[in-house]
Amino acid sequence: ELMDQEDYDDGSLGPVLVRLAWHSSGTYDQFSKTGGSNGATMRFKPECEHGANAGLHVARQALEKVKEKFPGITYADLYTLAGVVAVEEMGGPTI
């Protein structure tokens, strides 16, 4: 139900949910030990306004419904889980 969005792109949020998970975790810097999924910092400026993250606000906003229903899940885990579910629901492998 969450993934089906007729008025968005190809009618599915699946690809942007995968992109959200990728961008959320892909910011980790092994040298400074900063970034990554921990804290879901891409919700805040300046990270949310970075050009590479353009359009990801759509996925973050859609996931707010899930966060409200399951307040115990962290945003970091929610973004990662959303990417996993999206891959599986779009016919990809079970992760």
Side-chain angles (χ1 to χ4, degrees):
E1 179 181 310
L2 173 74
M3 285 188 24
D4 297 330
Q5 299 287 326
E6 290 184 24
D7 59 339
Y8 182 76
D9 197 32
D10 68 347
S12 171
L13 289 181
V16 77
L17 292 172
V18 171
R19 192 168 152 247
L20 175 68
W22 178 264
H23 281 247
S24 179
S25 62
T27 60
Y28 182 72
D29 182 320
Q30 68 176 345
F31 300 109
S32 67
K33 308 271 191 264
T34 59
S37 296
N38 192 24
T41 56
M42 68 174 355
R43 295 177 291 154
F44 311 113
K45 295 178 183 179
E47 195 172 345
C48 70
E49 295 178 337
H50 190 279
N53 294 328
L56 294 180
H57 67 283
V58 172
R60 289 192 304 268
Q61 289 171 351
L63 290 173
E64 282 301 318
K65 296 175 191 173
V66 178
K67 179 66 173 163
E68 288 174 17
K69 189 172 181 179
F70 301 98
I73 191 169
T74 66
Y75 279 103
D77 288 344
L78 178 59
Y79 295 171
T80 301
L81 178 62
V84 168
V85 171
V87 166
E88 292 177 356
E89 287 296 311
M90 292 188 297
T94 300
I95 301 174

Coordinates of all heavy atoms in Angstrom, one line a residue:
E1 N 0.8 -1.2 0.0 CA 0.0 0.0 0.0 C 0.9 1.3 0.0 O 0.6 2.2 -0.8 CB -0.9 0.0 1.2 CG -1.8 1.2 1.3 CD -2.7 1.1 2.6 OE1 -3.3 0.1 2.8 OE2 -2.6 2.1 3.3
L2 N 1.9 1.3 0.8 CA 2.8 2.4 0.9 C 3.5 2.7 -0.4 O 3.7 3.8 -0.8 CB 3.8 2.3 2.1 CG 4.9 3.3 2.1 CD1 4.3 4.6 2.7 CD2 6.0 2.9 3.0
M3 N 3.9 1.6 -1.0 CA 4.7 1.7 -2.3 C 3.9 2.2 -3.4 O 4.4 2.8 -4.4 CB 5.4 0.4 -2.6 CG 6.6 0.2 -1.7 SD 7.6 -1.2 -2.0 CE 7.5 -1.6 -3.7
D4 N 2.6 1.9 -3.5 CA 1.8 2.2 -4.6 C 1.4 3.7 -4.5 O 0.6 4.1 -3.7 CB 0.5 1.4 -4.7 CG 0.8 -0.1 -4.9 OD1 1.9 -0.4 -5.5 OD2 0.1 -1.0 -4.4
Q5 N 1.9 4.5 -5.4 CA 1.6 6.0 -5.4 C 1.4 6.3 -6.9 O 2.4 6.7 -7.6 CB 2.8 6.8 -4.8 CG 3.1 6.5 -3.4 CD 2.0 7.0 -2.5 OE1 1.4 8.1 -2.7 NE2 1.8 6.3 -1.4
E6 N 0.2 6.2 -7.4 CA -0.1 6.5 -8.8 C 0.4 7.8 -9.3 O 0.8 7.9 -10.5 CB -1.6 6.3 -9.0 CG -2.1 4.9 -8.9 CD -3.5 4.8 -9.2 OE1 -4.1 5.7 -10.0 OE2 -4.1 3.8 -8.8
D7 N 0.5 8.8 -8.4 CA 0.8 10.2 -8.9 C 2.3 10.4 -8.8 O 2.8 11.5 -9.0 CB 0.1 11.2 -8.1 CG 0.3 11.2 -6.6 OD1 0.7 10.1 -6.1 OD2 0.1 12.2 -5.9
Y8 N 3.1 9.4 -8.4 CA 4.6 9.5 -8.3 C 5.3 8.7 -9.3 O 5.1 7.5 -9.4 CB 5.1 9.1 -6.9 CG 6.5 9.4 -6.7 CD1 7.1 10.6 -6.5 CD2 7.4 8.3 -6.8 CE1 8.4 10.8 -6.4 CE2 8.8 8.5 -6.7 CZ 9.3 9.8 -6.5 OH 10.6 10.0 -6.3
D9 N 6.1 9.4 -10.1 CA 7.1 8.7 -11.0 C 6.4 7.6 -11.8 O 5.5 7.9 -12.6 CB 8.3 8.2 -10.3 CG 9.4 7.9 -11.2 OD1 9.6 8.6 -12.2 OD2 10.2 7.0 -10.9
D10 N 6.8 6.4 -11.6 CA 6.2 5.3 -12.4 C 5.0 4.6 -11.6 O 4.6 3.5 -12.0 CB 7.2 4.2 -12.7 CG 7.8 3.5 -11.5 OD1 7.5 3.9 -10.4 OD2 8.4 2.4 -11.6
G11 N 4.5 5.2 -10.6 CA 3.4 4.7 -9.8 C 3.8 3.9 -8.6 O 3.0 3.3 -7.9
S12 N 5.1 4.0 -8.3 CA 5.7 3.2 -7.1 C 6.7 4.0 -6.4 O 7.6 4.7 -7.1 CB 6.3 1.9 -7.6 OG 7.0 1.3 -6.5
L13 N 6.7 4.0 -5.1 CA 7.8 4.6 -4.3 C 9.0 3.6 -4.1 O 10.0 4.0 -3.5 CB 7.2 5.0 -2.9 CG 6.3 6.2 -2.9 CD1 5.9 6.5 -1.4 CD2 6.9 7.4 -3.5
G14 N 8.8 2.4 -4.6 CA 9.9 1.4 -4.4 C 11.3 1.9 -4.8 O 12.2 1.8 -3.9
P15 N 11.5 2.4 -5.9 CA 12.9 2.9 -6.3 C 13.4 4.0 -5.4 O 14.6 4.0 -5.0 CB 12.7 3.4 -7.7 CG 11.6 2.5 -8.3 CD 10.6 2.4 -7.1
V16 N 12.5 4.9 -5.0 CA 13.0 6.0 -4.1 C 13.2 5.5 -2.7 O 14.1 6.1 -2.0 CB 12.1 7.3 -4.2 CG1 10.8 7.1 -3.4 CG2 12.8 8.5 -3.8
L17 N 12.5 4.5 -2.3 CA 12.8 3.9 -1.0 C 14.2 3.2 -0.9 O 14.9 3.3 0.0 CB 11.7 3.0 -0.6 CG 10.3 3.6 -0.3 CD1 9.2 2.6 -0.1 CD2 10.4 4.5 0.9
V18 N 14.5 2.5 -2.0 CA 15.8 1.9 -2.1 C 16.9 3.0 -2.1 O 17.9 2.9 -1.4 CB 15.9 1.0 -3.4 CG1 17.3 0.6 -3.6 CG2 15.0 -0.1 -3.3
R19 N 16.6 4.0 -2.9 CA 17.6 5.2 -2.9 C 17.8 5.8 -1.6 O 18.9 6.2 -1.2 CB 17.1 6.2 -4.0 CG 18.2 7.2 -4.3 CD 17.7 8.0 -5.5 NE 18.4 9.3 -5.4 CZ 17.7 10.4 -5.2 NH1 16.4 10.5 -5.2 NH2 18.4 11.5 -5.1
L20 N 16.7 6.0 -0.8 CA 16.8 6.5 0.5 C 17.7 5.7 1.4 O 18.5 6.2 2.1 CB 15.4 6.6 1.1 CG 15.3 7.1 2.6 CD1 15.7 8.6 2.7 CD2 13.9 6.9 3.2
A21 N 17.5 4.4 1.4 CA 18.3 3.5 2.2 C 19.7 3.6 1.8 O 20.6 3.6 2.6 CB 17.8 2.0 2.1
W22 N 20.0 3.6 0.5 CA 21.4 3.7 0.0 C 22.0 5.0 0.4 O 23.1 5.0 0.9 CB 21.3 3.6 -1.5 CG 22.7 3.7 -2.2 CD1 23.2 4.8 -2.7 CD2 23.6 2.6 -2.3 NE1 24.5 4.5 -3.2 CE2 24.7 3.2 -3.0 CE3 23.6 1.3 -2.0 CZ2 25.9 2.5 -3.3 CZ3 24.8 0.6 -2.3 CH2 25.9 1.1 -2.9
H23 N 21.3 6.1 0.2 CA 21.9 7.4 0.5 C 22.1 7.5 2.1 O 23.1 8.2 2.5 CB 21.1 8.5 0.0 CG 21.4 8.7 -1.5 ND1 22.0 9.9 -2.0 CD2 21.1 7.9 -2.6 CE1 22.1 9.8 -3.3 NE2 21.5 8.6 -3.7
S24 N 21.2 7.0 2.8 CA 21.2 7.1 4.3 C 22.5 6.4 4.8 O 23.2 6.9 5.6 CB 20.0 6.5 4.9 OG 20.0 6.6 6.3
S25 N 22.8 5.2 4.3 CA 23.9 4.5 4.8 C 25.2 4.8 4.0 O 26.3 4.7 4.6 CB 23.7 3.0 4.7 OG 23.5 2.6 3.3
G26 N 25.1 5.3 2.8 CA 26.2 5.5 2.0 C 27.1 6.7 2.4 O 28.1 7.0 1.7
T27 N 26.6 7.5 3.3 CA 27.4 8.7 3.7 C 28.5 8.4 4.8 O 29.2 9.3 5.2 CB 26.4 9.8 4.3 OG1 25.8 9.3 5.4 CG2 25.5 10.2 3.2
Y28 N 28.6 7.1 5.2 CA 29.5 6.8 6.2 C 31.0 7.1 5.8 O 31.4 6.7 4.7 CB 29.4 5.3 6.7 CG 30.3 4.9 7.8 CD1 30.1 5.4 9.1 CD2 31.5 4.2 7.5 CE1 31.0 5.1 10.1 CE2 32.3 3.8 8.6 CZ 32.1 4.3 9.8 OH 33.0 4.0 10.8
D29 N 31.7 7.7 6.7 CA 33.2 8.0 6.4 C 34.0 7.2 7.4 O 33.9 7.4 8.6 CB 33.4 9.5 6.6 CG 34.9 9.9 6.3 OD1 35.8 9.1 6.7 OD2 35.1 10.9 5.7
Q30 N 34.7 6.2 6.9 CA 35.5 5.3 7.8 C 36.6 6.0 8.6 O 37.0 5.6 9.6 CB 36.1 4.2 7.0 CG 37.1 4.5 6.0 CD 37.7 3.3 5.3 OE1 37.6 2.2 5.8 NE2 38.5 3.6 4.2
F31 N 37.1 7.1 8.0 CA 38.2 7.8 8.7 C 37.7 8.7 9.8 O 38.3 8.7 10.9 CB 39.0 8.7 7.7 CG 39.6 7.8 6.6 CD1 39.1 7.8 5.3 CD2 40.6 6.9 6.9 CE1 39.6 7.0 4.3 CE2 41.1 6.1 5.9 CZ 40.6 6.2 4.6
S32 N 36.6 9.4 9.6 CA 36.1 10.3 10.7 C 35.0 9.6 11.5 O 34.6 10.1 12.6 CB 35.5 11.6 10.1 OG 34.3 11.3 9.3
K33 N 34.6 8.4 11.1 CA 33.6 7.7 11.8 C 32.3 8.5 11.9 O 31.5 8.4 12.8 CB 34.0 7.2 13.2 CG 35.3 6.5 13.2 CD 35.2 5.0 13.0 CE 36.4 4.3 13.3 NZ 37.2 4.0 12.1
T34 N 32.0 9.2 10.9 CA 30.7 10.0 10.8 C 29.9 9.6 9.7 O 30.3 8.9 8.8 CB 31.1 11.6 10.7 OG1 31.8 11.7 9.5 CG2 31.9 12.1 11.9
G35 N 28.6 10.1 9.7 CA 27.7 9.8 8.6 C 27.1 8.4 8.8 O 27.1 7.9 9.9
G36 N 26.6 7.9 7.7 CA 25.9 6.6 7.8 C 24.5 6.7 8.3 O 24.0 7.8 8.5
S37 N 23.9 5.5 8.5 CA 22.5 5.5 8.9 C 22.3 5.9 10.3 O 21.2 6.4 10.6 CB 22.0 4.0 8.8 OG 22.1 3.6 7.4
N38 N 23.3 5.8 11.2 CA 23.1 6.1 12.6 C 22.6 7.5 12.8 O 23.2 8.5 12.4 CB 24.4 5.9 13.3 CG 24.2 5.9 14.8 OD1 23.1 5.7 15.3 ND2 25.2 6.2 15.6
G39 N 21.4 7.6 13.4 CA 20.8 8.9 13.6 C 20.0 9.5 12.5 O 19.3 10.5 12.6
A40 N 20.1 8.8 11.3 CA 19.3 9.3 10.2 C 19.4 10.8 10.0 O 18.5 11.5 9.8 CB 17.8 8.9 10.3
T41 N 20.7 11.2 10.0 CA 21.0 12.6 9.9 C 20.5 13.3 8.6 O 20.5 14.5 8.6 CB 22.5 12.9 10.1 OG1 23.2 12.1 9.2 CG2 22.9 12.5 11.5
M42 N 20.2 12.5 7.6 CA 19.8 13.1 6.4 C 18.4 13.8 6.5 O 17.9 14.4 5.6 CB 19.7 12.1 5.2 CG 18.7 11.1 5.3 SD 18.6 10.0 3.9 CE 19.7 10.7 2.7
R43 N 17.8 13.7 7.7 CA 16.5 14.4 7.9 C 16.8 15.9 8.2 O 15.9 16.7 8.1 CB 15.8 13.8 9.2 CG 15.4 12.4 9.1 CD 14.8 11.9 10.4 NE 15.8 11.8 11.4 CZ 15.6 11.9 12.7 NH1 14.4 12.1 13.2 NH2 16.6 11.8 13.5
F44 N 18.0 16.2 8.5 CA 18.3 17.6 8.9 C 19.2 18.3 7.9 O 19.9 17.7 7.1 CB 19.0 17.5 10.3 CG 18.3 16.7 11.3 CD1 18.9 15.5 11.7 CD2 17.1 17.1 11.7 CE1 18.2 14.8 12.7 CE2 16.4 16.3 12.7 CZ 17.0 15.1 13.1
K45 N 19.2 19.6 7.9 CA 20.1 20.4 7.1 C 21.5 20.3 7.7 O 21.7 20.1 8.9 CB 19.7 21.9 7.2 CG 18.3 22.2 6.6 CD 17.9 23.6 6.8 CE 16.5 23.9 6.2 NZ 16.1 25.3 6.4
P46 N 22.5 20.3 6.9 CA 22.5 20.6 5.5 C 22.4 19.3 4.6 O 22.2 19.4 3.4 CB 23.9 21.2 5.2 CG 24.8 20.5 6.2 CD 23.9 20.3 7.4
E47 N 22.4 18.1 5.3 CA 22.4 16.9 4.5 C 21.1 16.7 3.7 O 21.2 16.3 2.5 CB 22.6 15.7 5.5 CG 22.9 14.4 4.8 CD 23.3 13.3 5.7 OE1 23.5 13.5 6.9 OE2 23.3 12.1 5.3
C48 N 20.0 17.1 4.2 CA 18.7 16.9 3.5 C 18.7 17.8 2.3 O 17.9 17.5 1.3 CB 17.5 17.1 4.4 SG 17.2 18.8 4.9
E49 N 19.5 18.9 2.2 CA 19.4 19.8 1.1 C 20.6 19.5 0.1 O 20.6 20.2 -0.9 CB 19.5 21.2 1.6 CG 18.3 21.6 2.5 CD 18.5 23.0 3.0 OE1 19.6 23.5 3.2 OE2 17.4 23.6 3.3
H50 N 21.4 18.5 0.4 CA 22.5 18.2 -0.5 C 21.9 17.7 -1.9 O 20.9 17.0 -1.9 CB 23.4 17.1 0.1 CG 24.6 16.9 -0.7 ND1 24.7 16.1 -1.9 CD2 25.9 17.3 -0.5 CE1 25.9 16.1 -2.3 NE2 26.6 16.8 -1.5
G51 N 22.5 18.2 -3.0 CA 22.0 17.9 -4.3 C 21.8 16.4 -4.5 O 20.8 16.0 -5.2
A52 N 22.7 15.6 -4.0 CA 22.6 14.1 -4.2 C 21.3 13.5 -3.5 O 20.9 12.4 -3.9 CB 23.8 13.4 -3.7
N53 N 20.8 14.2 -2.6 CA 19.6 13.8 -1.8 C 18.3 14.4 -2.4 O 17.3 14.2 -1.7 CB 19.8 14.0 -0.3 CG 20.9 13.2 0.3 OD1 21.2 12.1 -0.2 ND2 21.6 13.8 1.2
A54 N 18.4 15.0 -3.5 CA 17.2 15.6 -4.1 C 16.1 14.6 -4.3 O 16.3 13.5 -4.8 CB 17.5 16.3 -5.4
G55 N 14.9 14.9 -3.9 CA 13.8 14.0 -4.1 C 13.5 13.0 -3.0 O 12.5 12.4 -2.9
L56 N 14.5 12.9 -2.1 CA 14.3 11.8 -1.0 C 13.3 12.3 0.0 O 12.9 11.4 0.8 CB 15.7 11.5 -0.4 CG 16.7 10.8 -1.4 CD1 18.0 10.5 -0.6 CD2 16.1 9.5 -1.9
H57 N 13.0 13.5 0.1 CA 12.0 14.0 1.0 C 10.7 13.3 0.8 O 9.9 13.1 1.7 CB 11.8 15.5 0.9 CG 11.2 16.0 -0.4 ND1 11.9 16.0 -1.5 CD2 9.9 16.3 -0.7 CE1 11.1 16.4 -2.5 NE2 9.9 16.6 -2.0
V58 N 10.4 12.9 -0.5 CA 9.2 12.1 -0.8 C 9.1 10.8 0.0 O 8.1 10.5 0.6 CB 9.1 11.9 -2.3 CG1 7.9 11.0 -2.6 CG2 9.0 13.2 -3.1
A59 N 10.2 10.1 0.0 CA 10.3 8.8 0.7 C 10.2 9.1 2.2 O 9.5 8.3 2.9 CB 11.6 8.1 0.3
R60 N 11.0 10.1 2.7 CA 10.9 10.3 4.2 C 9.5 10.7 4.6 O 9.1 10.2 5.7 CB 11.9 11.4 4.5 CG 13.4 11.0 4.4 CD 14.3 12.0 5.0 NE 14.2 13.4 4.5 CZ 14.9 13.9 3.5 NH1 15.8 13.1 2.9 NH2 14.7 15.1 3.1
Q61 N 8.8 11.5 3.8 CA 7.5 11.9 4.2 C 6.5 10.7 4.2 O 5.7 10.5 5.1 CB 6.9 13.0 3.3 CG 7.6 14.3 3.5 CD 7.2 15.3 2.4 OE1 6.6 15.0 1.4 NE2 7.6 16.6 2.6
A62 N 6.7 9.8 3.2 CA 5.8 8.6 3.1 C 6.0 7.7 4.3 O 5.1 7.1 4.8 CB 6.1 7.9 1.8
L63 N 7.3 7.6 4.8 CA 7.6 6.7 5.9 C 7.1 7.3 7.2 O 7.1 6.5 8.2 CB 9.1 6.4 5.9 CG 9.5 5.6 4.8 CD1 11.1 5.5 4.8 CD2 8.9 4.2 4.8
E64 N 6.7 8.5 7.3 CA 6.2 9.1 8.6 C 5.0 8.3 9.0 O 4.8 8.2 10.2 CB 5.9 10.6 8.4 CG 7.1 11.4 8.5 CD 7.9 11.3 9.7 OE1 7.3 11.2 10.8 OE2 9.2 11.3 9.7
K65 N 4.2 7.8 8.1 CA 3.0 7.0 8.5 C 3.4 5.8 9.3 O 2.8 5.3 10.2 CB 2.2 6.6 7.3 CG 1.6 7.8 6.5 CD 0.9 7.3 5.2 CE 0.5 8.5 4.3 NZ 0.1 8.0 3.0
V66 N 4.5 5.1 8.8 CA 5.0 3.9 9.4 C 5.6 4.3 10.8 O 5.4 3.6 11.8 CB 6.0 3.2 8.5 CG1 6.6 2.0 9.2 CG2 5.5 2.9 7.2
K67 N 6.3 5.4 10.8 CA 6.9 5.8 12.1 C 5.9 6.1 13.1 O 6.0 5.8 14.3 CB 7.8 7.0 11.8 CG 8.5 7.6 13.1 CD 9.5 6.7 13.6 CE 10.3 7.4 14.8 NZ 11.0 6.5 15.6
E68 N 4.8 6.7 12.7 CA 3.7 7.0 13.7 C 3.1 5.7 14.2 O 2.7 5.6 15.4 CB 2.6 7.8 13.0 CG 3.0 9.2 12.7 CD 2.0 10.0 11.9 OE1 0.8 9.6 11.8 OE2 2.3 11.1 11.4
K69 N 2.9 4.7 13.4 CA 2.4 3.4 13.8 C 3.3 2.6 14.6 O 2.9 1.9 15.5 CB 2.0 2.6 12.5 CG 1.2 1.4 12.8 CD 0.6 0.7 11.5 CE -0.2 -0.5 11.9 NZ -0.8 -1.1 10.7
F70 N 4.6 2.7 14.4 CA 5.6 2.0 15.1 C 6.7 3.0 15.7 O 7.8 3.1 15.2 CB 6.3 1.0 14.2 CG 5.4 0.0 13.6 CD1 4.9 0.1 12.3 CD2 5.0 -1.1 14.4 CE1 4.0 -0.8 11.8 CE2 4.1 -2.1 13.8 CZ 3.6 -1.9 12.5
P71 N 6.3 3.7 16.7 CA 7.2 4.8 17.2 C 8.5 4.3 17.8 O 9.5 5.0 17.9 CB 6.4 5.5 18.2 CG 5.3 4.5 18.6 CD 5.1 3.7 17.4
G72 N 8.6 3.0 18.1 CA 9.8 2.5 18.7 C 10.9 2.2 17.7 O 12.1 2.1 18.1
I73 N 10.6 2.2 16.4 CA 11.7 2.0 15.4 C 12.5 3.3 15.2 O 11.9 4.4 15.1 CB 11.1 1.5 14.1 CG1 12.3 1.0 13.1 CG2 10.2 2.5 13.4 CD1 11.8 0.2 11.9
T74 N 13.7 3.2 15.1 CA 14.5 4.4 14.8 C 14.4 4.8 13.3 O 14.1 4.0 12.5 CB 16.0 4.2 15.1 OG1 16.5 3.3 14.2 CG2 16.3 3.8 16.5
Y75 N 14.6 6.1 13.0 CA 14.6 6.5 11.6 C 15.6 5.7 10.8 O 15.4 5.4 9.7 CB 14.8 8.0 11.5 CG 13.5 8.8 11.8 CD1 13.3 9.4 13.0 CD2 12.5 8.8 10.8 CE1 12.1 10.1 13.2 CE2 11.3 9.5 11.1 CZ 11.1 10.2 12.3 OH 10.0 10.9 12.5
A76 N 16.8 5.5 11.4 CA 17.8 4.8 10.7 C 17.4 3.4 10.3 O 17.6 3.0 9.2 CB 19.1 4.8 11.5
D77 N 16.8 2.7 11.3 CA 16.3 1.4 11.0 C 15.1 1.4 10.0 O 15.0 0.5 9.1 CB 15.9 0.7 12.3 CG 17.1 0.3 13.1 OD1 18.3 0.2 12.6 OD2 16.9 0.0 14.3
L78 N 14.3 2.4 10.1 CA 13.1 2.5 9.3 C 13.6 2.7 7.8 O 13.1 2.1 6.9 CB 12.2 3.7 9.7 CG 11.0 4.0 8.9 CD1 10.1 2.8 8.8 CD2 10.3 5.2 9.4
Y79 N 14.5 3.6 7.6 CA 15.0 3.8 6.2 C 15.7 2.6 5.6 O 15.4 2.3 4.5 CB 16.0 5.0 6.2 CG 15.4 6.3 6.6 CD1 16.3 7.4 6.8 CD2 14.1 6.5 6.8 CE1 15.8 8.7 7.2 CE2 13.6 7.8 7.2 CZ 14.4 8.8 7.3 OH 13.9 10.1 7.7
T80 N 16.4 1.9 6.4 CA 17.1 0.7 5.9 C 16.0 -0.4 5.7 O 16.1 -1.1 4.6 CB 18.1 0.2 7.0 OG1 19.1 1.2 7.2 CG2 18.8 -1.1 6.5
L81 N 15.1 -0.6 6.6 CA 14.1 -1.6 6.4 C 13.2 -1.3 5.2 O 12.8 -2.2 4.4 CB 13.2 -1.7 7.7 CG 12.0 -2.6 7.6 CD1 12.5 -4.1 7.4 CD2 11.1 -2.5 8.9
A82 N 12.9 0.0 5.0 CA 12.1 0.4 3.8 C 12.8 0.0 2.5 O 12.2 -0.5 1.6 CB 11.8 1.9 3.8
G83 N 14.1 0.1 2.5 CA 14.9 -0.3 1.3 C 14.8 -1.8 1.1 O 14.6 -2.3 -0.1
V84 N 14.9 -2.5 2.1 CA 14.9 -4.0 2.1 C 13.5 -4.5 1.6 O 13.4 -5.3 0.6 CB 15.2 -4.7 3.4 CG1 14.9 -6.1 3.4 CG2 16.6 -4.4 3.8
V85 N 12.5 -3.9 2.2 CA 11.1 -4.3 1.8 C 10.8 -3.9 0.3 O 10.2 -4.7 -0.4 CB 10.1 -3.7 2.7 CG1 8.6 -3.9 2.2 CG2 10.2 -4.3 4.1
A86 N 11.3 -2.7 -0.1 CA 11.1 -2.3 -1.5 C 11.8 -3.2 -2.4 O 11.2 -3.6 -3.5 CB 11.6 -0.9 -1.6
V87 N 13.0 -3.6 -2.2 CA 13.7 -4.6 -3.1 C 12.9 -5.9 -3.2 O 12.6 -6.4 -4.3 CB 15.1 -4.9 -2.6 CG1 15.7 -6.1 -3.3 CG2 16.0 -3.7 -2.8
E88 N 12.5 -6.4 -2.1 CA 11.7 -7.7 -2.1 C 10.4 -7.5 -2.8 O 10.0 -8.4 -3.6 CB 11.5 -8.2 -0.7 CG 12.8 -8.6 0.0 CD 12.7 -9.1 1.4 OE1 11.6 -9.0 2.0 OE2 13.7 -9.5 2.0
E89 N 9.6 -6.4 -2.5 CA 8.3 -6.2 -3.1 C 8.4 -5.9 -4.6 O 7.4 -6.2 -5.3 CB 7.6 -5.1 -2.4 CG 7.1 -5.4 -1.0 CD 6.1 -6.5 -1.0 OE1 5.1 -6.4 -1.8 OE2 6.2 -7.5 -0.2
M90 N 9.5 -5.4 -5.1 CA 9.7 -5.2 -6.5 C 10.2 -6.4 -7.2 O 10.5 -6.4 -8.4 CB 10.6 -4.0 -6.7 CG 10.0 -2.7 -6.3 SD 11.0 -1.2 -6.8 CE 12.5 -1.5 -5.8
G91 N 10.3 -7.6 -6.6 CA 10.6 -8.8 -7.2 C 12.1 -9.2 -7.1 O 12.6 -10.1 -7.7
G92 N 12.8 -8.4 -6.2 CA 14.2 -8.7 -6.0 C 14.4 -9.9 -5.0 O 13.4 -10.5 -4.6
P93 N 15.6 -10.2 -4.7 CA 15.8 -11.4 -3.8 C 15.4 -11.0 -2.3 O 15.2 -9.9 -1.9 CB 17.4 -11.5 -3.8 CG 17.8 -10.1 -4.1 CD 16.8 -9.5 -5.0
T94 N 15.1 -12.1 -1.6 CA 14.8 -11.9 -0.2 C 16.1 -11.6 0.5 O 17.2 -12.2 0.3 CB 14.3 -13.3 0.4 OG1 13.1 -13.6 -0.3 CG2 14.0 -13.1 1.9
I95 N 16.1 -10.5 1.3 CA 17.3 -10.0 2.0 C 17.2 -10.4 3.4 O 16.2 -10.1 4.1 CB 17.4 -8.5 1.8 CG1 17.5 -8.2 0.3 CG2 18.6 -8.0 2.5 CD1 17.5 -6.7 0.0

